[in-house]
Amino acid sequence: DIQMTQSPSSLSASVGDRVTITCRASQSISSYLNWYQQKPGKAPMLLIYAASRLQSGVPSRISGSGSGTEFTLTISSLQPEDFATYYCQQSYSTPRTFGQGTKVEIK
Amino acid sequence: EVQLVESGGGLVQPGGSLRLSCAASGFTFSNYWMNWVRQAPGRGLEWVANINQDGSQKYYVDSVKGRFNISRDNAKKSLYLQMNSLSPEDTAVYYCAREGGLWFGELFETWFDPWGQGTLVTVSS
């Protein structure tokens, strides 16, 4: 199984800050990497697919990059609605696996 | 509107069984792989199982193999998860999710979108 490791596990940031979350795969997964946002009590929502492609309706301050084993999710200017938990997920092989999550909290 | 609505969750004793359902609307259900993903209280996301368009291919995470069965009824636009021999470790919110995909050059990329609202399964005596 492919292990996905996110860092950090949590972070505190202020509105307007630039935030970067890293996701590492235990083996190369090309660009088969997706990012989701989850708010408390809600279902996850797709943000980025195929490592860097922005899902329709997602604000352009959110971006993804990377390939192979290392990927990043960047929020260029954190907004109040961005405080949430973020998960990466590989779709290279089955079982599909998720990172452990990164909780973005208000400083 | 593309929508997935889960039902069937509840409280069950260890060793018991439960059947979850997921009703799809707003898209051609029979064209998509479908998935179950769960989230234990306060924990991260764990993929559980998926099924192909006609139900001929099914895959499971190791921890549920032999206990859970995923199925679908394309005429009813519904996905199911039959869960047997439940243990407290199966306590979680269970989400159904559509697996969409597109070709980008030689790569067929897939992702989970949308997700249902989830249904809570509690295994406790």
Side-chain angles (χ1 to χ4, degrees):
Chain A
D1 299 359
I2 298 175
Q3 308 304 315
M4 307 300 294
T5 304
Q6 288 180 233
S7 60
S9 296
S10 64
L11 63 91
S12 296
S14 301
V15 172
D17 284 354
R18 181 182 182 87
V19 168
T20 298
I21 300 169
T22 298
C23 177
R24 290 186 172 86
S26 59
Q27 66 182 75
S28 177
I29 58 171
S30 185
S31 59
Y32 291 93
L33 191 284
N34 306 310
W35 290 97
Y36 302 87
Q37 177 194 68
Q38 187 180 33
K39 295 182 178 179
K42 301 294 187 182
M45 181 182 77
L46 178 68
L47 298 176
I48 299 284
Y49 61 95
S52 62
R53 300 180 186 268
L54 194 66
Q55 171 69 343
S56 175
V58 175
S60 59
R61 63 179 181 275
I62 293 174
S63 63
S65 64
S67 68
T69 62
E70 188 155 336
F71 303 84
T72 59
L73 177 74
T74 300
I75 305 174
S76 60
S77 178
L78 201 64
Q79 297 302 300
E81 60 267 31
D82 299 332
F83 291 96
T85 300
Y86 295 84
Y87 294 94
C88 62
Q89 174 249 328
Q90 63 82 16
S91 57
Y92 180 84
S93 66
T94 299
R96 306 297 197 221
T97 46
F98 292 86
Q100 81 277 17
T102 296
K103 187 174 184 179
V104 176
E105 299 176 300
I106 302 173
K107 182 183 284 185
Chain B
E1 179 192 3
V2 175
Q3 194 172 18
L4 298 170
V5 178
E6 301 95 336
S7 60
L11 175 63
V12 61
Q13 291 190 338
S17 298
L18 211 56
R19 188 196 197 205
L20 306 183
S21 299
C22 171
S25 60
F27 65 99
T28 305
F29 181 72
S30 58
N31 285 354
Y32 291 88
W33 282 75
M34 295 296 296
N35 294 259
W36 287 100
V37 177
R38 68 184 177 182
Q39 186 170 36
R43 304 295 296 273
L45 301 169
E46 180 183 39
W47 175 84
V48 174
N50 67 0
I51 186 169
N52 72 335
Q53 290 88 339
D54 65 5
S56 61
Q57 298 179 54
K58 304 176 183 182
Y59 300 94
Y60 302 89
V61 69
D62 284 349
S63 59
V64 309
K65 283 179 183 175
R67 300 188 300 121
F68 289 13
N69 181 57
I70 188 172
S71 62
R72 66 191 297 162
D73 184 331
N74 287 339
K76 295 182 177 179
K77 299 184 179 181
S78 292
L79 175 71
Y80 306 102
L81 186 67
Q82 176 66 43
M83 304 185 296
N84 300 324
S85 302
L86 285 162
S87 72
E89 290 70 39
D90 297 313
T91 294
V93 174
Y94 285 74
Y95 298 100
C96 64
R98 184 182 74 174
E99 189 156 1
L102 286 172
W103 285 100
F104 296 103
E106 298 181 344
L107 302 181
F108 187 70
E109 305 270 6
T110 68
W111 52 85
F112 297 148
D113 179 69
W115 299 57
Q117 86 287 352
T119 187
L120 176 62
V121 173
T122 303
V123 184
S124 175
S125 53

